[in-house]
Amino acid sequence: MMAGPHGLYGHLFGEREVADRLSDRARVQAMLDVEAELAEALARVGVAPASSVEPIRQVARAELYDLAALATEAARAGNAVIPLVADLTRRVATSDAEAARYVHWGATSQDIIDTALVLQMRAASAPLLRQLDRAARAAAAHAHRHRNTPMPGRTWLQHATPTTFGLKAAGWLDGLERVRRAVSSAFSSSFVLQFGGASGTLASLGPAAIDVASALAERLDLELPPAPWHGHRDRLAQLACALGVATGTLGKIARDLALLAQTEVAEARPGETAGGSSTMPHKRNPVSCAVALAAAVRVPGLVASMLAGMPQEHERGLGGWHAEWDVLPEIVLLTSGAARSVADALDDLVIDAARMRRNLEMTRGLAQSEAVAMTLGRDLGKHEAHALVEAASRRAAAEERPLAEVLAEDASVTRVMTPNAIEHCLSPEAYLGVADAFIDRILATWKRKD
Amino acid sequence: MMAGPHGLYGHLFGEREVADRLSDRARVQAMLDVEAELAEALARVGVAPASSVEPIRQVARAELYDLAALATEAARAGNAVIPLVADLTRRVATSDAEAARYVHWGATSQDIIDTALVLQMRAASAPLLRQLDRAARAAAAHAHRHRNTPMPGRTWLQHATPTTFGLKAAGWLDGLERVRRAVSSAFSSSFVLQFGGASGTLASLGPAAIDVASALAERLDLELPPAPWHGHRDRLAQLACALGVATGTLGKIARDLALLAQTEVAEARPGETAGGSSTMPHKRNPVSCAVALAAAVRVPGLVASMLAGMPQEHERGLGGWHAEWDVLPEIVLLTSGAARSVADALDDLVIDAARMRRNLEMTRGLAQSEAVAMTLGRDLGKHEAHALVEAASRRAAAEERPLAEVLAEDASVTRVMTPNAIEHCLSPEAYLGVADAFIDRILATWKRKD
Amino acid sequence: MMAGPHGLYGHLFGEREVADRLSDRARVQAMLDVEAELAEALARVGVAPASSVEPIRQVARAELYDLAALATEAARAGNAVIPLVADLTRRVATSDAEAARYVHWGATSQDIIDTALVLQMRAASAPLLRQLDRAARAAAAHAHRHRNTPMPGRTWLQHATPTTFGLKAAGWLDGLERVRRAVSSAFSSSFVLQFGGASGTLASLGPAAIDVASALAERLDLELPPAPWHGHRDRLAQLACALGVATGTLGKIARDLALLAQTEVAEARPGETAGGSSTMPHKRNPVSCAVALAAAVRVPGLVASMLAGMPQEHERGLGGWHAEWDVLPEIVLLTSGAARSVADALDDLVIDAARMRRNLEMTRGLAQSEAVAMTLGRDLGKHEAHALVEAASRRAAAEERPLAEVLAEDASVTRVMTPNAIEHCLSPEAYLGVADAFIDRILATWKRKD
Amino acid sequence: MMAGPHGLYGHLFGEREVADRLSDRARVQAMLDVEAELAEALARVGVAPASSVEPIRQVARAELYDLAALATEAARAGNAVIPLVADLTRRVATSDAEAARYVHWGATSQDIIDTALVLQMRAASAPLLRQLDRAARAAAAHAHRHRNTPMPGRTWLQHATPTTFGLKAAGWLDGLERVRRAVSSAFSSSFVLQFGGASGTLASLGPAAIDVASALAERLDLELPPAPWHGHRDRLAQLACALGVATGTLGKIARDLALLAQTEVAEARPGETAGGSSTMPHKRNPVSCAVALAAAVRVPGLVASMLAGMPQEHERGLGGWHAEWDVLPEIVLLTSGAARSVADALDDLVIDAARMRRNLEMTRGLAQSEAVAMTLGRDLGKHEAHALVEAASRRAAAEERPLAEVLAEDASVTRVMTPNAIEHCLSPEAYLGVADAFIDRILATWKRKD
């Protein structure tokens, strides 16, 4: 037996509530829910007697069924619905032989498996989106609070011109908002009934077929699609993709956080959610970042599996369909864990603004060299200015002296700028551009959406 | 030198017009277009003199530049913009030294590379969507024409209950329509300006920055995003995903077609677009199907690469960003080739309705066994009926006799159904369910969208 | 709680014994085994007293530990070893406080996690290889038995020149043998101790370190590597790859089988392992093929995840390492299920040689058209002959007449070949080439290895 | 037209010599080489006259053929061999009509395409392995030179106990050596002739078939496999995998280098191969690292494509096979570029040992806290000692004081250790464990292999 809904590391890599809703017990319950509502739909349309509903609903409770036995029989039958329906029918028959005749009436295994999967997706969507919202709110708070906190901008992992922590956090917020919308929309588009019978014509239900399908969709509160989609898996693949993109954005934030928390950088560090080390007492490991980054490593491959399985044969696929059963829930689980981890990490983040300032000074003005180059460029031409500042930068670096000092020795510079002007030009605060305006634009977008 | 815009197999695996718009020449032109429009934007806002625009635009033509030399220098510089801007500036300087100072003003390499990529995506989108439309139209025509053409439904590659070729084609149409919308929407969402300067603050442009950005977006007819997105790649990843899902759907159609064209099935065969064999004179190889299936094998891995590259460090990534440069265009190219191939295959498809009918009869009624089981079920109970028909089916198969004949020998059947009723019940035409209604629903959706 | 060692579908998609050895219980036991043998190694080298061994070993039994609690604590600590070692130490301390001091001495969490994973890989390797052997033996038996059973060769899913079922099965055998060797060798190369302490220098063990490592490797019967490999994951990635290639070969066999079992082809069909349908009494679904094909869809993405996680930071990775914990066991499980399924399918396969012969005749000689073309080519030149036969083939196809008949009407043919010679030339048995010799070569290779 | 053998970024992402050997021109030449050697083999066995060889060889030169025309015709025919053979035959015919009859005799397109691909792999292998060797040699030199250069060990991107730069470089060497061997072996295993004719039976060659195959293998210096492998792609997939693992290891080294080069870490920086910035004069961008990391992002997805394409139908696949044509060469190219980049980066690396020492002191002894914990543990028990040192570490961190100072205030510590002993215990040099021995073990292994 595994340790939890998804094994020893289910709680580490997944969000707890999402894990519960994707458990095997929940999977079986979702299948039974579809069977129970099918009974209702059949009765409502008059295909089955009203009296058949209650006996079916009574035993459509997952806790009655032996999951281990189902797993064994599924290995023989090729899916869990075949033994589940057999067991369900036996149970109904003990109380009402007539009702037992209507169990699963008109449906095929794939109708139940797909619709149950859709129901599980819906159940998992709310807690997952909640974690994305938490992360966005935390990012927004950082964007507000730190709009005037300068820090090194970093490109290629090298100091570039300065930015603010507020703009960095606003960037995270902007990214989170976009993926949140995309995930939410992909979830909604996938909440679609699957009901087509053996070959997707609902032939066994006769002319009442579309009424039954319509009633079933209504009872399950799912969209009734134009036609069954047994062999067309784009909605589920699209959902996998949206989650994959979200995990990528969460991984980007986690990578930024892990880099900021490095011993030498120390601009932001994890608070209480961080893990200890089994051997090194002083360490605070960024566990949350590791979880989100692990998801960002795993999910792309899983998305590729969903896409690779799409070319499914004719009216029901052989292999491609089966691949989805565990892969899609795993993508949802990992995304939920990544979202929870990033939300935790952002909520819990300890910012060291003084250290950001100190790190900015490490390069003795080099990071703002562009500022001087641009200013000088107005008089000397961009390329000459660029070359001049490049030379001065190299000299400053080699001699470990402030760039301002080196520039102040160059007559072609001082002809244009006073030492004070150079000094000012090289201060990070003077070279933050429109960081603030960008933060406002992002926050405004976010509030509109909120 | 390669043979074409994308090498020896660029025309096989890609659509010709898309390939042209994704060629290296087009890539360099797109970069130059951004530089030229930047000059316009700078001039309009008053950062640069109006006189600087024309000298820049004059030499912003890709045919002036030596691509082989650019490729060599890009290997040293790390991207093509650095040598391209150097060359562009030199050329501008020969006609107007003053104008040369404003080349690339305020921008960073990534601004040009990303925006040029976006422009290439826009250029490629129209011919790609055209091929998806062609495929959809061809599928719709088949759905119309063959709504009364019964054929075997097939699940697990085995005959299941009958369907119609019209419904199969409608299913393709439905799938094509959904991915067409998703691709179109993902393209539109990605038509966004990248313009942030060194660290995404546009610091070198001072307070005029947002006006310049806005003017540049307007000139390029791109959306101005709330802020630069150097480290946030979700829009491009989302586009890759939408194309990945589309390729999956195209692969599904190609797989169906290839299976239908098998020598033993022969229900649909490729017409003139099919390839010959170098050794076997009688063969018509389904080249179009192979192209779409190859895309469906290749694109999932490429999408995984786009997703895996998303966690990009801080204000500019190291590796993840570089991975996109060739991967995203390759995804677009392969999707375009798959769309063109499926459109060709559907346009060119020769349907053999008589063979479909004959194949339906192969199983001597077994494929419609569900029909009898359902009818008998009303009297005998579903499970008893199922067991009875299953036994009769096995006997019919073993003795190679029609199922109707075997059933007519069983008293528990004839008590309920006359031989004629059995015969009728086992005719495919009587067991097509609501295939027709499903076709109508799909065509109605399609027309609304069209 | 999940239904089995790997949930509701663990027995469908995995081999049972492999699943047991990869269960969470087995994972915890493997970790405890490493801790117990570490105690032995420390005692043997004299770092710990001999009396510390037994108290540790006594409680190093997984059944003593609460997996659900471990899962919860692992979510906080970042891995399961931290809470497990804490619990283990408490338990040892209740019987021997002195011994408790030596629990986990010198090790870091990753030493335990990696070595335990290696032990699980070793435990899983034997039953997995056994299934590959079963599949190979079954393929060899078919190769023997059917060396003279002609069937259509098929390229692009079209009839090509004839082959024999023996050669097809020998091809499977050849492929299985190669991947069997590669998997076995990759397993062996991964049976390597991980033991490096906090940063891979074993600093906490002083000069005795290598003796302890050596003793630990000996006790666990693992290779002692030149140095710890905390950040270098190539051995595990290589194992994942070998399993990925094996799954690809198993998927190829499954695809062939599924295609041969199609209603219209019916040359080979699954026997008793096949699954029934929930609605269609006559169906025998190729469940085994679906399982192997599902693995072939899923494993490539998982291999990509293993590879994508390889660039791990410095002395211990952040995310990339964590990604391996569930991904590598999943690859092993899916490969075992694919191997078991293909072995079952091949063992159980019902061959219809008469149907193969009948299918060969479907094309009325077209499939052997190459034979005539080659024969005529000797006199007419290859290209003229090819053109002539191509024209005759088209006419034969269009008029649904035997190719021999059409050819016999052509004077340029009859000038060279008599009608009898044409007839003979077009018989499948006369055009099997060196199929037999190829079978012998493969069987000889296999026996040598066996 | 593209800029180079693999477009604008072919020289950035690929090694130049490898790129040349994988160019379209080289691809066509390899195909022509197979055709020419086939003519030789046919003549040697007596199937074709000796006089047919020279006329074929004369025109089997790629520069005679119009690649753009071939690309166009390949799009129609489905591969490049069909139009190439047609053109080749025409050219032979102009000089010797008799010889023209023997062009391509007995072969099928796939024989030529696969064998040509194998020849290209062989041509590319030498320069690729050379780059891996260069990288290994450079790593070995660093391991030698810096065996006594202490630096912070880093786990989870946090300082852990110290290590040496020598051991880090030795770890790279060890990893490079293993992947070098695996790549070399996978290349060798793939140097196998493909020659089976239409369905893999060589039927058109009659009883001479195996002699022809054998002669062809000998002339091309390729292994003659037991049988053709048209549908079995494991050797090529295995090669893709070995390259994928190698790219992962190269990516790991590049990631380490990029992290060490960070402005705040500055322990190792790129020398002259580094790229400049288009806007920031002071920057030295780690271009080499970006190239290797981009490969590590791209190759896993490409490997997944190779694996996903393996289940190829019957005697020749539809789509899966076609996917390999561009994907495998792309993997080789990207791996070669990653190897060249890492070799460049290691050759060119500027090590700052003083900075390593200074970074070690940043944590004021915290990084060596394990040393004290282990020492104290001998007296106090491991867990008490761990707790005590953890508390002291927190206090030292909070108060920004040296750990030694804080520990010296604790009576339970000073009871066991003098302040001097604490100080010594916390010096990095005293806590390097068996780093040196590990370096020796790795260098010894490397030299043995060398």
Side-chain angles (χ1 to χ4, degrees), chain D residues 69-113:
Chain D
L70 271 181
T72 302
E73 291 165 63
R76 203 167 313 122
N79 67 55
V81 165
I82 293 173
L84 181 66
V85 167
D87 198 354
L88 172 64
T89 307
R90 271 192 301 274
R91 285 168 194 275
V92 175
T94 61
S95 76
D96 184 335
E98 169 74 4
R101 289 174 47 197
Y102 293 98
V103 170
H104 194 66
W105 189 268
T108 191
S109 295
Q110 188 170 11
D111 293 336
I112 309 304
I113 291 171

Side-chain angles (χ1 to χ4, degrees), chain A residues 154-156 158-160 255 261-264 279-285 362 366 369-370 390 394, chain D residues 154-156 158-160 255 261-264 279-285 362 366 369-370 390 394:
Chain A
R154 292 174 175 97
T155 61
W156 301 73
Q158 301 292 305
H159 280 201
R255 174 146 292 162
Q262 287 174 104
T263 308
E264 291 87 354
T279 52
M280 287 168 288
H282 70 288
K283 287 191 65 181
R284 301 281 83 202
N285 289 328
M362 282 185 70
L366 289 183
S369 62
E370 190 195 63
E390 189 166 18
R394 280 184 203 279
Chain D
R154 293 173 175 99
T155 61
W156 300 73
Q158 302 291 305
H159 280 201
R255 174 147 292 160
Q262 287 174 104
T263 308
E264 291 88 354
T279 53
M280 287 168 290
H282 71 290
K283 286 192 66 180
R284 299 281 85 200
N285 289 328
M362 283 185 69
L366 289 182
S369 63
E370 191 195 58
E390 189 166 17
R394 280 185 204 280

